[in-house]
Amino acid sequence: MSKILMKGNEAVAEAAIRAGCRLYFAYPITPQSELIEYMAKMMPKVGGTFIQAESEVAAINMVYGAAGVGKRVMTSSSSPGISLKQEGISYMAGAELPAVIVNVQRGGPGLGDIQPAQGDYFQAVKGGGHGDYQLIVLAPCSVQEFADLASDAFDLADKYRNPVMILADGMLGQMMEPVEFKPAKTQEELEALANQHLSWCICPNADGDAKHHHEINSLELDPEILEKHVNKLYEKYAEIEKNEVRYESYNVSDDNEILCVAWGTAARVVKSAINELAVRGKSIGLVRPITCWPYPYEAIASAIGPKVKKVYVFELNSGQMVEDVKIAVNGKVPVDFWGKLGGIVFTPADIQAKLEACF
Amino acid sequence: MQVIAKRPETLTAEPFTYCPGCTHGIATRLIAEAIEEHGLINLMAGVAPVGCAVFAYKFFNFDMAEAAHGRAPAVATGMKRGRPNMHIFTYQGDGDLAAIGTAEIVHAANRGEHISIFFINNAIYGMTGGQMAPTTLAGMKTTTSPYGRNPDDIGYPIRMCELLASLVAPYYIERVSLLSPGDILRAKKAVNKAIQYNKEERGFTFIEFISTCPTNWGFDPDKAREWAKENMLPYYKLGVFRDKGEEVQ
């Protein structure tokens, strides 16, 4: 299939539909509005359901209901809206419901602005809602990857019965790039998807021995049983940490004098700076986490070559992922951080200057 | 031995967790009976609220979801849209539906979702220990209105049937009470009609039950019913606010 020039917001929507998502509930917010608009236009054409919900809170609870009946379902928003969804996300993690949530991040805190930012890392990776739980968090750095991660997100959600967040930003949502889509699910595949969760989801019943009583629920008043339930969740999370860590190693070698760690849009900029400095004989590597949770701790630790003087972390926030990098580096070499705030995206020249100063 | 009364198949053997003398149990049973009478046990699913009926997911003998506080109509919307061949209802109290969940109920009604809502109005938060509800009567004392609800300060109690009847989409809206055997029979008819409309995919149906909370009102069950008749029924008028099924005929 040939490539199409598309905005990230539209590409992720198209990819979700191709992955078999037929239910989408959301509320408009900049800079992700093209996503909800694309779904409004396309869902009726594929026999799917689109509802513009009365609020972010209602949208995520519609997702809870649709995931509870075992169907592929998605919602999307931008930072302030994602904050509103945290209640529902915590309930879905507790009830072990598969769903995909897209966050096209913008500047914060509060109403902030509508420029690209990465200030929701902690919220996505360390909790956000109440209680002990984990989201699987995928961070794309191009329109192509934004689209590719949509189908991966649904597969991971279904495999682990866990909500998955795609953590993008206003740059990736608004930017147009050529994108090549995977083929859409066939009718046969769609039917298989619709029936994959019948062992636990809310679905039509049968009489006699086949009768079931499925509960979609996160309430358990007996502390011993609740503890067991949360322990079971953490056994699942350990399994995810074992199997699903993803990252990109860029220019990583034993010659590296600096190792950078950056994710999403920030990593794109860092790559440009690395290329520019490579021409001048400076060897710098980059590890780009694709899964922000589970986090590639070991990959970062083992990417620290013999000549590396410093691990340099660049983010479009005040320093959030850098805490995970410090855990990964574990004191082996110094860890430095530089970031931009307010929805300002640093330039390759900015990063180049920071890196050059290390030599 | 002849069986003259038994638990409907639509209820599990799980003991109700409602207080003695509370009318929740009657409402729960009426809904279960209607679902059984319409032969929907295998195609029905419900949404339990946060509040006294939080364990409703254990009581009904079919698939159930437990929703976050107030979100049941949104959860029901997602369930119905995801499995349109199933029939969905929510069971909610007054704090859940008329305070924290006001947006969800109004918009589910406004979309005309093909779901049934069963709304228990006992003018108080029961589960959390007797706090003021959006439906608490003017002057009524609760733990968070210890000097009596003052409408100048906190507003008048919300009449949900009247509010929802201002919308175009809802198909059937009725307020019934559970305060006497006659009222319970009338409530049974209303519940049956809501389930019948639900089965026939007519649209959004809403039944409000005027109920009692002997525990938090501080009355015995008889006194609670008398108090509700004297104080609640004049403000919350019983009757049909919308019935598009009757209009057609």
Side-chain angles (χ1 to χ4, degrees):
Chain A
M1 203 194 139
S2 59
K3 291 193 173 185
I4 306 168
L5 189 65
M6 251 179 147
K7 277 194 174 196
N9 281 336
E10 295 173 339
V12 71
E14 174 62 30
I17 292 171
R18 283 166 184 261
C21 174
R22 290 293 180 275
L23 293 142
Y24 172 85
F25 309 99
Y27 186 87
I29 182 169
T30 311
Q32 68 85 52
S33 289
E34 295 84 358
L35 208 171
I36 185 173
E37 287 166 357
Y38 193 88
M39 288 299 200
K41 194 168 70 180
M42 297 309 289
M43 273 301 187
K45 292 187 184 176
V46 295
T49 294
F50 164 85
I51 294 181
Q52 179 173 330
E54 61 270 27
S55 69
E56 300 281 5
V57 176
I60 194 71
N61 281 284
M62 291 174 190
V63 170
Y64 179 99
V69 299
K71 298 298 180 76
R72 286 199 157 177
V73 56
M74 183 165 109
T75 185
S76 63
S77 188
S78 179
S79 307
I82 296 291
S83 293
L84 284 167
K85 291 190 196 292
Q86 293 302 328
E87 172 198 62
I89 291 172
S90 168
Y91 277 68
M92 283 199 289
E96 294 192 85
L97 293 180
V100 175
I101 302 138
V102 178
N103 182 359
V104 183
Q105 292 170 96
R106 60 188 246 184
L111 209 44
D113 65 13
I114 56 172
Q115 303 304 317
Q118 298 184 318
D120 302 351
Y121 181 89
F122 282 153
Q123 186 194 53
V125 170
K126 308 291 179 189
H130 57 283
D132 291 281
Y133 74 92
Q134 283 290 348
L135 293 182
I136 297 171
V137 182
L138 307 175
C141 85
S142 67
V143 171
Q144 180 67 57
E145 195 175 31
F146 203 179
D148 290 344
L149 288 180
S151 60
D152 293 352
F154 279 107
D155 289 343
L156 287 167
D158 285 331
K159 182 175 174 187
Y160 293 103
R161 280 186 63 183
N162 207 68
V164 176
M165 178 172 283
I166 302 179
L167 193 58
D169 61 53
M171 175 82 95
L172 292 162
Q174 294 298 320
M175 180 170 62
M176 290 183 93
E177 280 187 316
V179 54
E180 187 172 356
F181 290 105
K182 293 177 184 168
K185 298 276 182 207
T186 62
Q187 200 50 45
E188 215 171 39
E189 287 170 323
L190 287 174
E191 275 161 32
L193 285 178
N195 294 321
Q196 65 179 325
H197 294 307
L198 295 182
S199 65
W200 59 266
C201 76
I202 288 175
C203 53
N205 216 323
D207 287 319
D209 293 343
K211 180 158 184 60
H212 58 74
H213 177 81
H214 294 161
E215 291 173 3
I216 304 301
N217 177 33
S218 62
L219 174 72
E220 179 48 65
L221 289 186
D222 182 331
E224 306 284 336
I225 298 177
L226 182 59
E227 186 186 44
K228 265 189 203 148
H229 171 64
V230 181
N231 280 333
K232 201 184 108 223
L233 291 181
Y234 274 80
E235 281 166 26
K236 176 173 83 175
Y237 300 152
E239 202 56 29
I240 297 171
E241 284 178 306
K242 204 169 75 188
N243 301 332
E244 309 298 345
V245 171
R246 283 199 228 174
Y247 59 92
E248 179 192 2
S249 293
Y250 187 79
N251 205 40
V252 171
S253 79
D254 281 353
D255 295 331
N256 290 162
E257 292 189 60
I258 304 288
L259 178 69
C260 294
V261 186
W263 58 287
T265 290
R268 281 176 80 111
V269 185
V270 173
K271 275 186 193 174
S272 300
I274 288 173
N275 293 345
E276 197 60 40
L277 289 170
V279 176
R280 291 189 233 162
K282 303 212 157 82
S283 177
I284 301 164
L286 166 73
V287 176
R288 175 177 72 89
I290 297 170
T291 49
C292 288
W293 195 88
Y295 194 78
Y297 293 109
E298 283 171 31
I300 290 169
S302 59
I304 303 171
K307 297 182 193 165
V308 168
K309 295 181 286 193
K310 183 196 271 190
V311 171
Y312 216 146
V313 180
F314 297 98
E315 299 180 75
L316 301 172
N317 60 36
S318 59
Q320 299 192 16
M321 183 193 66
V322 63
E323 294 192 3
D324 280 324
V325 176
K326 283 178 179 165
I327 293 170
V329 173
N330 198 20
K332 220 152 97 181
V333 293
V335 175
D336 213 345
F337 169 80
W338 188 67
K340 285 297 278 179
L341 297 167
I344 299 167
V345 179
F346 39 57
T347 64
D350 292 334
I351 304 299
Q352 223 175 293
K354 290 286 166 193
L355 290 172
E356 268 181 322
C358 304
F359 285 91
Chain B
M1 190 172 65
Q2 190 195 358
V3 176
I4 52 167
K6 67 178 184 69
R7 187 174 65 238
E9 269 186 61
T10 41
L11 287 176
T12 65
E14 188 75 22
F16 285 172
T17 43
Y18 306 127
C19 300
C22 164
T23 44
H24 262 296
I26 299 169
T28 302
R29 184 174 173 116
L30 292 182
I31 295 162
E33 285 177 354
I35 292 165
E36 180 176 58
E37 285 162 24
H38 284 95
L40 287 176
I41 187 168
N42 291 334
L43 282 175
M44 185 61 81
V47 186
V50 169
C52 295
V54 71
F55 290 120
Y57 63 86
K58 293 183 181 180
F59 305 153
F60 290 104
N61 193 19
F62 38 76
D63 290 2
M64 293 288 295
E66 164 58 37
H69 202 18
R71 316 301 176 218
V75 172
T77 296
M79 288 163 64
K80 180 64 183 174
R81 300 297 185 113
R83 288 203 184 269
N85 62 332
M86 292 190 76
H87 301 279
I88 311 292
F89 73 92
T90 76
Y91 185 108
Q92 300 175 258
D94 41 39
D96 191 86
L97 182 137
I100 200 166
T102 315
E104 284 78 6
I105 187 60
V106 168
H107 287 272
N110 195 48
R111 287 191 301 269
E113 293 294 338
H114 287 204
I115 56 177
S116 298
I117 309 283
F118 298 108
F119 169 43
I120 307 297
N121 179 0
N122 57 11
I124 206 156
Y125 282 69
M127 177 71 121
T128 43
Q131 295 81 13
M132 187 183 70
T135 51
T136 291
L137 295 172
M140 187 173 164
K141 286 183 182 172
T142 70
T143 59
T144 52
S145 56
Y147 311 109
R149 178 179 185 143
N150 176 5
D152 291 337
D153 182 46
I154 202 74
Y156 288 88
I158 297 179
R159 297 178 175 114
M160 285 308 297
C161 285
E162 288 85 338
L163 193 152
L164 296 178
S166 73
L167 304 172
V168 177
Y171 194 85
Y172 173 50
I173 300 171
E174 181 164 356
R175 183 183 287 126
V176 296
S177 98
L178 301 172
L179 304 177
S180 71
D183 283 351
I184 291 168
L185 287 176
R186 280 184 284 277
K188 184 174 167 65
K189 276 188 187 162
V191 172
N192 263 290
K193 189 182 252 188
I195 293 295
Q196 183 198 323
Y197 286 163
N198 188 317
K199 184 182 180 180
E200 294 167 359
E201 296 291 344
R202 302 274 196 110
F204 181 88
T205 53
F206 183 92
I207 305 292
E208 174 175 344
F209 301 88
I210 299 299
S211 306
T212 62
C213 182
T215 299
N216 287 299
W217 291 358
F219 300 139
D220 66 45
D222 285 340
K223 177 86 196 309
R225 281 192 294 274
E226 289 314 307
W227 187 90
K229 282 179 201 168
E230 283 165 29
N231 296 281
M232 288 185 75
L233 294 187
Y235 189 80
Y236 297 111
K237 298 269 194 292
L238 304 185
V240 178
F241 293 83
R242 172 78 51 81
D243 189 345
K244 290 188 184 177
E246 294 298 325
E247 288 165 21
V248 175
Q249 291 153 14

